[in-house]
Amino acid sequence: MARDITTVEGRSIVTWLEARANQRIDRGECWDAAELGIQSVGAARPGSQLYVWGRAVQSTAVQLGDILQFTNFKMRITQTDKSWVETGFGLPRHTAIVSYLNTDGSVDVLHQNYDNVRSVQLFEWVYLRSGTYGSEKVAVSGTFACYRPRKP
């Protein structure tokens, strides 16, 4: 019977990916990093659906090694002086692995094939919800799903 990966196995996925920082995994597609990352602990996608990585979990319960599947996701961060920066994931789709849980509720992710870089990179401070974080106002749009990898 299939079971969710443990927190230790989730950390092992992150460690496996961190060891490959700035290296291309397989074809360099975003999903290649997730696929081989979960396989490194004996986990597997639950079926043939391309963008389903395990058991769906709430974003408030996300842990290291979980997979985020973004669809047309944008994050706009506005400073108190009204300057802003906008970042998008998944136009239309992008896959990333949670590598760190920040105290403000944002996450850091490891991913590849972002901004035409086909190697494993770290992206810090991904806000999954709109809100005010310190002096920054964050507005998110689009969607994402959180998946907990499972071992068959």
Side-chain angles (χ1 to χ4, degrees):
M1 174 157 235
R3 68 160 176 86
D4 290 355
I5 62 166
T6 65
T7 54
V8 171
E9 290 165 330
R11 180 69 201 145
S12 291
I13 292 170
V14 172
T15 300
W16 188 89
L17 289 164
E18 288 172 337
R20 287 150 182 83
N22 301 310
Q23 297 175 30
R24 181 173 140 168
I25 295 176
D26 200 27
R27 298 161 295 171
E29 298 294 343
C30 59
W31 60 82
D32 291 332
E35 181 76 16
L36 294 175
I38 67 172
Q39 286 177 8
S40 74
V41 297
R45 286 186 296 118
S48 61
Q49 291 181 299
L50 290 178
Y51 303 109
V52 176
W53 296 96
R55 181 177 64 84
V57 296
Q58 296 295 318
S59 62
T60 54
V62 72
Q63 67 184 32
L64 302 187
D66 283 355
I67 309 297
L68 298 177
Q69 185 62 54
F70 296 100
T71 303
N72 296 316
F73 184 84
K74 289 185 183 176
M75 180 176 64
R76 184 176 183 149
I77 301 172
T78 305
Q79 304 294 328
T80 53
D81 67 0
K82 306 295 185 216
S83 63
W84 56 272
V85 62
E86 189 171 85
T87 302
F89 295 112
L91 303 170
R93 294 182 184 92
H94 186 66
T95 306
I97 301 89
V98 175
S99 63
Y100 191 77
L101 306 172
N102 297 306
T103 57
D104 65 1
S106 67
V107 296
D108 296 352
V109 298
L110 290 162
H111 60 166
Q112 66 179 8
N113 196 16
Y114 176 74
D115 204 21
N116 294 316
V117 177
R118 290 188 170 266
S119 60
V120 175
Q121 304 292 316
L122 174 66
F123 194 102
E124 299 176 306
W125 308 105
V126 177
Y127 293 94
L128 302 176
R129 288 174 287 291
S130 297
T132 301
Y133 301 90
S135 63
E136 300 176 330
K137 289 191 178 199
V138 178
V140 299
S141 62
T143 63
F144 66 93
C146 301
Y147 294 101
R148 178 85 23 88
R150 304 197 83 199
K151 293 180 87 167

